[in-house]
Amino acid sequence: MTDDLIATAGEYVAGLMSPEEQEAFERLIASDPMVRSAVADWRTRLLALDETATQMAPSEGLWPAIERAIGAARPEQAKPGWFARLWQDVSALRLASLAGAAAALVMALLLVTQPFGRSDKPTVVAVLNAPNTSEAGAIVEAFADGRIRVVPLRAIPVPEGRVLQVWTLWDRQVGPRSVGLMERAEARDYVTSGMPRPVGQQMYEITLEPAGGSPTGRPTGPILYVGRGATPL
């Protein structure tokens, strides 16, 4: 299975193809078992992310407001109804993630889990996977003011006397810094200080540590989930 096929299958699952490209690719799906396998692999890998979002119906005034905004900014490219058609296939939008485009995924999740028009958007987002696998375990949203939100995507067993600890690494010379503790897998907001503005490729991870957190100020337990941030489009 080539890298080009994997990337193209990801674009198909994400709903990023034009109607003509989609039609041509679906003919390949019907005739080529390897193409079908690539598509199935992307859908399986992103299923946990898809299940975290609840489908929502847009308000009556949403589409006219979007079309007015698009028309005012770039009238030559405005295509009435395009966004509405994309929303109608919101399950495909929620799957909009490729290995090299985690930001697209999280922005898709934001569309269906947060009120439209909210200006409080993360500077960096990251999808954390189990090491050396495609098993997504958590989403991290890092904000310019130092806030960090961690949203687990699955149950994470925490043995008695242990705790989950969230870390970030922006400079190897500085080393990993603790974001905060999590006694169980649940969405948590953290307020950090003394850290620079989050940037793309910044690393985030969740480790299993002794109760009260790492005694050394550095990760000591096994890494459960890890990933790099990306700047939302």
Side-chain angles (χ1 to χ4, degrees):
M1 190 177 297
T2 66
D3 290 343
D4 284 345
L5 173 56
I6 294 172
T8 304
E11 292 174 1
Y12 173 78
V13 172
L16 301 178
M17 290 183 170
S18 68
E20 295 77 14
E21 291 171 333
Q22 179 176 329
E23 182 178 352
F25 193 72
E26 287 175 346
R27 288 197 294 268
L28 289 176
I29 294 174
S31 61
D32 191 327
M34 187 170 293
V35 175
R36 289 197 295 273
S37 176
V39 171
D41 181 58
W42 271 111
R43 286 174 171 161
T44 299
R45 292 166 65 184
L46 299 175
L47 179 60
L49 296 170
D50 181 53
E51 290 178 340
T52 63
T54 302
Q55 186 165 343
M56 299 173 60
S59 65
E60 293 182 0
L62 178 58
W63 311 135
I66 292 173
E67 290 176 357
R68 285 195 301 270
I70 293 174
R74 308 183 74 169
E76 74 283 359
Q77 294 185 13
K79 296 181 179 180
W82 171 84
F83 199 94
R85 290 197 304 272
L86 185 59
W87 188 285
Q88 289 167 2
D89 192 15
V90 71
S91 61
L93 179 61
R94 297 201 317 257
L95 289 174
S97 173
L98 303 177
L105 164 70
V106 180
M107 290 307 293
L109 290 173
L110 291 174
L111 281 174
V112 296
T113 59
Q114 297 183 4
F116 182 82
R118 179 180 171 182
S119 60
D120 185 22
K121 301 297 185 184
T123 301
V124 165
V125 294
V127 177
L128 308 191
N129 292 339
N132 303 315
T133 76
S134 58
E135 177 189 295
I139 292 174
V140 172
E141 298 175 353
F143 298 83
D145 61 3
R147 289 177 299 120
I148 295 178
R149 180 169 177 78
V150 181
V151 183
L153 301 175
R154 60 182 66 242
I156 304 176
V158 182
E160 186 176 354
R162 305 280 274 179
V163 68
L164 302 175
Q165 190 157 4
V166 183
W167 306 85
T168 186
L169 174 67
W170 65 87
D171 186 329
R172 292 193 178 279
Q173 292 186 346
V174 174
R177 292 294 179 88
S178 177
V179 172
L181 304 180
M182 185 183 297
E183 295 182 355
R184 55 185 176 275
E186 62 182 2
R188 289 285 304 273
D189 291 321
Y190 301 92
V191 178
T192 64
S193 60
M195 297 184 185
R197 181 185 176 94
V199 296
Q201 295 302 303
Q202 186 165 331
M203 184 176 291
Y204 297 87
E205 66 181 30
I206 299 174
T207 64
L208 189 63
E209 302 291 345
S214 168
T216 67
R218 294 289 189 270
T220 61
I223 298 174
L224 304 181
Y225 295 100
V226 61
R228 292 186 179 276
T231 303
L233 301 176

